[in-house]
Amino acid sequence: MRIGNRLFPYPTLNNEPSLSEYEATSEFRLCFDDDEDGQLPRTKDGQILKNAFFHLTDSGLISLYEQGLVECGLIIESSASTYRVMKKLTRDPKDYFLKYKDLKGTVSVSAYLYATEEINEYSNPSFQEAYKPYKFNIEKYDILAIDDGFRFQVNIDPTLDNKVASIFTIVPRFTNDKQMSYTYTQNNITIELPQDYYARYDNIKGKADFNNMMFAMIAIPALSGALADMKTYISQGETLDDLTDNYRWLRSVCTSFNRVNGRNLTDDDMEDIDPMVLAQSVLNDATCNGIEEISEHLLRGVDREEEEDEDDE
């Protein structure tokens, strides 16, 4: 939710100075820690709004907050996934986890100070001069202070979100059979789909609800097969260092394993871990995430049908 330049029938304190109707000495803003790149810290399952709290310097609003007449809401919204939640934000730092499974496309994070009950004849010495003579009746849930926060993008397509996915090239094969095949070279893994099915894949891959499932069906079997060969080579005496020198795509697998597990992939891991399990791990658990996406898509369809049936009654 973003307030923007929306007008209210009473003065509001806005983090954007040009929109604020309070004096410049009054401040309200959402605060949090970012990483060294100026981004939200990430895990494989989401991003972290770390040490988040609201900063407020206006004595009148602070008094209302301390009396319990106003609270601060942290709004996390992703319109593409129809996800919207409000969490209570305080002046004490706290971590908030933003799960990728809830989010798609543009995600907005904002904070607002709102009334928890009616406040009659509200005035504030920090109002800009034009509002100082007046008193205002504030209704429950009216917004008194605004920080429209920030936006970021969540791309649930592992081919874009996960660096290891860049090792795949998906191409059509001019044949009438129904079998997918793959080959790997020094640089990448090439997946071939029969031409008719490649065309269907090409049409579906842009549909956000099916990205993980499509990727799981195609990439995980191919990668697990290639990793099974790597496992065989190691059992025959080669080392992971030797293999990553020979197969650049395997370096990306190792990098992703380190990101997910917080440690380096070893020769023993390659021998002990089932290649199918390893493939799922480094590809963002695309199989189960895909099943979840399809399930949510179908449930949304059922909900819409029920709403339409209710409207027809």
Side-chain angles (χ1 to χ4, degrees):
M1 183 176 77
R2 294 177 68 83
I3 300 299
N5 59 1
R6 188 187 311 171
L7 297 177
F8 293 85
Y10 51 84
T12 57
L13 172 59
N14 199 306
N15 186 47
E16 171 52 52
S18 65
L19 299 174
S20 185
E21 292 156 326
Y22 280 62
E23 295 177 348
T25 53
S26 294
E27 296 181 352
F28 170 76
R29 67 177 181 270
L30 166 63
C31 301
F32 56 91
D33 296 340
D34 49 27
D35 62 20
E36 59 187 11
D37 297 321
Q39 305 293 323
L40 295 184
R42 295 171 176 242
T43 72
K44 68 169 184 157
D45 296 318
Q47 294 181 242
I48 302 170
L49 195 64
K50 191 170 183 61
N51 293 327
F53 64 97
F54 73 87
H55 170 76
L56 181 66
T57 64
D58 183 80
S59 59
L61 291 174
I62 289 174
S63 176
L64 293 179
Y65 177 75
E66 291 177 344
Q67 295 176 64
L69 297 176
V70 299
E71 289 186 350
C72 187
L74 175 70
I75 311 296
I76 303 164
E77 184 172 29
S78 171
S79 57
S81 62
T82 65
Y83 177 82
R84 185 175 183 273
V85 66
M86 184 178 78
K87 299 178 180 291
K88 186 176 180 179
L89 190 67
T90 71
R91 292 192 287 177
D92 298 319
K94 179 181 177 181
D95 293 348
Y96 297 86
F97 189 56
L98 314 180
K99 297 180 181 179
Y100 287 138
K101 71 181 185 67
D102 295 328
L103 311 172
K104 296 178 186 177
T106 301
V107 179
S108 65
V109 180
S110 49
Y112 306 106
L113 209 63
Y114 65 94
T116 59
E117 56 184 83
E118 291 183 359
I119 305 172
N120 294 318
E121 298 188 337
Y122 171 63
S123 63
N124 191 310
S126 296
F127 283 166
Q128 289 182 356
E129 198 63 36
Y131 302 102
K132 286 183 184 294
Y134 302 102
K135 296 182 178 181
F136 301 87
N137 290 328
I138 306 299
E139 296 182 1
K140 188 176 182 179
Y141 302 123
D142 276 353
I143 293 173
L144 298 177
I146 299 163
D147 184 350
D148 273 336
F150 64 99
R151 293 176 175 179
F152 65 96
Q153 293 290 322
V154 170
N155 195 319
I156 64 165
D157 183 353
T159 60
L160 300 176
D161 186 55
N162 193 332
K163 289 183 178 179
V164 73
S166 64
I167 67 179
F168 296 98
T169 302
I170 302 173
V171 300
R173 185 177 73 248
F174 297 98
T175 178
N176 293 322
D177 63 32
K178 293 186 177 182
Q179 271 75 52
M180 180 190 85
S181 62
Y182 72 93
T183 58
Y184 57 86
T185 62
Q186 182 182 33
N187 293 322
N188 69 351
I189 298 174
T190 299
I191 299 172
E192 296 183 345
L193 293 173
Q195 55 185 338
D196 289 345
Y197 294 90
Y198 176 85
R200 298 183 187 189
Y201 156 78
D202 199 45
N203 288 331
I204 294 173
K205 69 178 182 181
K207 308 292 185 182
D209 288 320
F210 302 101
N211 281 330
N212 272 314
M213 181 58 77
M214 288 295 296
F215 197 71
M217 292 171 63
I218 295 171
I220 287 178
L223 181 59
S224 61
L227 290 173
D229 287 349
M230 301 299 110
K231 181 174 183 175
T232 299
Y233 294 147
I234 286 179
S235 69
Q236 294 172 349
E238 295 196 49
T239 67
L240 192 56
D241 287 340
D242 294 334
L243 293 173
T244 53
D245 286 340
N246 294 331
Y247 300 102
R248 292 177 184 172
W249 57 264
L250 188 56
R251 297 177 195 172
S252 295
V253 170
C254 293
T255 299
S256 182
F257 181 90
N258 180 278
R259 178 177 60 80
V260 171
N261 297 280
R263 64 180 181 84
N264 292 330
L265 186 67
T266 67
D267 292 355
D268 289 340
D269 290 328
M270 287 295 294
E271 288 196 281
D272 295 340
I273 300 176
D274 186 303
M276 179 67 77
V277 173
L278 179 56
Q280 292 178 77
S281 173
V282 300
L283 288 176
N284 196 31
D285 296 323
T287 298
C288 289
N289 286 335
I291 292 171
E292 185 172 18
E293 286 173 6
I294 296 295
S295 175
E296 290 177 355
H297 176 79
L298 293 175
L299 288 174
R300 286 200 297 271
V302 169
D303 290 342
R304 283 195 295 269
E305 289 178 1
E306 290 178 349
E307 289 175 0
E308 292 173 357
D309 290 341
E310 290 175 0
D311 291 340
D312 291 338
E313 291 178 357

